[in-house]
Amino acid sequence: MNHFRSIRALVFDLDGTLLNSRKKLSERTQNALLRCGQLGIALFIATARPPRSVKALLPSIIMKNVSAVYYNGAYCRDLSGNTSSFTISPAIAAKIITQVCRNKEQDKLSIESEDVLYALSNAVYEQNRKHMFVPPTIVSEKRLASIPANKLLLFHCSTETKHYIMNFGAQLSVVETDAGELLQIMEKQISKASAVSAICQKHAISMRQVAAFGDDWNDLDLFKACGYSVAMGNATPGLEKDATMRTGTNDEDGVAQILEKWFLN
């Protein structure tokens, strides 16, 4: 296992990976993370979630010791507190919003902008509470189109709307997650991997020296970019084909199992 000693950074997805099915960080996994940090290994959280929910889900002692990638890479905070924000073209965002309204799917759309959630109808929150930490700020269609969007979210959208969005494939990054329930839309070059790479570059860490842990398709770009990748035992079927290895489920402390094996025993 000596070759794992070359790893200088660890990247963790949150839901289904670092957190168990009760959305908790176990004591075993927390201790493994902190001990790895004490060894000088850089720690990252890379999630589709906004900052507010990550802060609520993770203990402050962990948040103080990680660089955080939010919105699948569209908003980031490094260990020094520096932030980066990447938004969708306003013209394209406006076109998508218009199309969604034309198809009478206002209750399926929301926008994330630097840790604030916006929507056209509170119904999107009522129908999708498991994906949202707080109710959205309700605005008009015109106002929504003017907000710089880190991420557009569409829940259970129609096939027609999905096809319309896919027509912007050259300008947008579109990821389908949560067993097809959720369409996450970001600027084209945005991904968890691009965000982690940018922060690592500042610290002279090669992506070959990074290990990524994940369970869903929005972790795939990380798996392909990092030198090591670990699919959780509860990962979406098929994801493990692009992983270096597999570990236990999130309810079996799968992350801690690997960290203890690689660095702590």
Side-chain angles (χ1 to χ4, degrees):
M1 292 293 176
N2 287 340
H3 57 289
F4 294 121
R5 298 292 178 178
S6 66
I7 294 173
R8 296 181 58 198
L10 299 167
V11 186
F12 308 98
D13 172 53
L14 210 55
D15 297 272
T17 301
L18 209 57
L19 302 178
N20 60 29
S21 57
R22 294 181 294 112
K23 305 297 182 186
K24 301 292 184 181
L25 181 68
S26 74
E27 184 177 351
R28 178 183 176 186
T29 298
Q30 176 173 309
N31 289 339
L33 292 178
L34 293 175
R35 289 173 65 193
C36 284
Q38 290 167 358
L39 292 174
I41 300 169
L43 304 176
F44 289 79
I45 301 301
T47 177
R49 282 183 177 273
R52 58 187 178 274
S53 66
V54 176
K55 184 179 179 181
L57 289 166
L58 292 180
S60 58
I61 191 170
I62 295 295
M63 291 303 298
K64 290 175 184 177
N65 286 281
V66 299
S67 295
V69 172
Y70 307 106
Y71 303 145
N72 292 323
Y75 190 63
C76 313
R77 174 194 58 77
D78 67 20
L79 204 54
S80 302
N82 300 315
T83 60
S84 303
S85 181
F86 306 93
T87 57
I88 298 168
S89 157
I92 294 175
K95 287 179 180 179
I96 292 174
I97 292 166
T98 298
Q99 179 69 16
V100 167
C101 292
R102 187 177 293 140
N103 287 350
K104 302 187 185 305
E105 296 182 272
Q106 295 95 322
D107 59 346
K108 299 178 179 180
L109 172 70
S110 62
I111 280 182
E112 287 280 3
S113 179
E114 296 194 4
D115 205 24
V116 180
L117 178 68
Y118 298 91
L120 296 168
S121 163
N122 202 51
V124 70
Y125 174 71
E126 296 299 332
Q127 296 170 16
N128 301 282
R129 289 192 179 208
K130 70 177 182 178
H131 295 292
M132 296 181 170
F133 187 70
V134 295
T137 297
I138 306 303
V139 296
S140 66
E141 180 182 341
K142 183 178 180 180
R143 171 73 177 113
L144 193 69
S146 72
I147 295 169
N150 292 116
K151 185 166 72 167
L152 289 172
L153 297 166
L154 276 164
F155 301 92
H156 306 283
C157 68
S158 66
T159 301
E160 181 184 352
T161 296
K162 187 182 296 186
H163 285 165
Y164 180 83
I165 292 167
M166 292 305 181
N167 289 331
F168 296 101
Q171 297 123 313
L172 296 175
S173 172
V174 182
V175 182
E176 195 169 4
T177 62
D178 298 87
E181 289 184 4
L182 177 60
L183 214 59
Q184 304 187 44
I185 307 161
M186 289 78 59
E187 185 65 16
K188 180 62 178 178
Q189 303 304 320
I190 298 307
S191 68
K192 290 183 179 183
S194 66
V196 171
S197 177
I199 296 174
C200 282
Q201 211 168 24
K202 295 177 183 178
H203 299 280
I205 298 174
S206 163
M207 290 298 279
R208 293 180 180 179
Q209 297 172 302
V210 181
F213 294 72
D215 74 304
D216 210 340
W217 291 118
N218 59 339
D219 301 309
L220 181 60
D221 62 292
L222 271 174
F223 281 18
K224 292 182 175 180
C226 295
Y228 304 89
S229 53
V230 183
M232 302 300 293
N234 52 286
T236 298
L239 186 68
E240 75 282 352
K241 295 176 183 176
D242 288 282
T244 308
M245 63 197 69
R246 196 165 189 173
T247 187
T249 70
N250 59 327
D251 286 328
E252 297 169 335
D253 289 315
V255 168
Q257 288 178 27
I258 292 292
L259 298 186
E260 289 164 359
K261 184 177 181 180
W262 285 356
F263 308 112
L264 307 177
N265 286 340

